[in-house]
Amino acid sequence: DFTREIMQSGVLVSGASLQPTSTATTVTFVNDQTSIVDGPFAETKEAFAGYYLVNVPDLDAALDWAKRIPVGDGSVEVRPVAMMPDADGNPQNVN
């Protein structure tokens, strides 16, 4: 129901569920060397299960949506997207 509601609202940019952490492969970068290891980055009970990327005017609007996510006992983390520069050094927008 929540996913349908956020899709119909027009604020959803993208979203997806993720496979369990047991399916992860971690790439580590140290001193210009890379290593690849099967499994998650860290052993933890908490896991990033998926995401909703929304285009809203401010943090308050994002929090209003986050409070509606049906997680049961758990948490929802809300963060802004980091803008990466384009080839000319200008910040790229997510739109």
Side-chain angles (χ1 to χ4, degrees):
D1 291 340
F2 173 80
T3 300
R4 185 174 21 279
E5 179 184 358
I6 199 166
M7 288 175 71
Q8 291 172 348
S9 74
V11 302
L12 183 67
V13 175
S14 69
S17 295
L18 298 174
Q19 295 287 327
T21 57
S22 62
T23 66
T25 301
T26 301
V27 180
T28 303
F29 304 88
V30 176
N31 297 325
D32 295 326
Q33 299 290 318
T34 59
S35 65
I36 298 173
V37 178
D38 289 340
F41 173 73
E43 295 296 325
T44 180
K45 290 182 182 180
E46 298 170 347
F48 185 63
Y51 70 94
Y52 291 101
L53 177 61
V54 297
N55 185 2
V56 293
D58 54 36
L59 177 60
D60 289 335
L63 293 173
D64 285 342
W65 280 105
K67 289 188 283 187
R68 298 184 215 172
I69 298 173
V71 296
D73 291 337
S75 302
V76 173
E77 183 176 321
V78 177
R79 300 193 240 173
V81 172
M83 296 297 179
M84 301 297 290
D86 64 14
D88 297 322
N90 301 312
Q92 295 181 34
N93 197 338
V94 294
N95 294 335

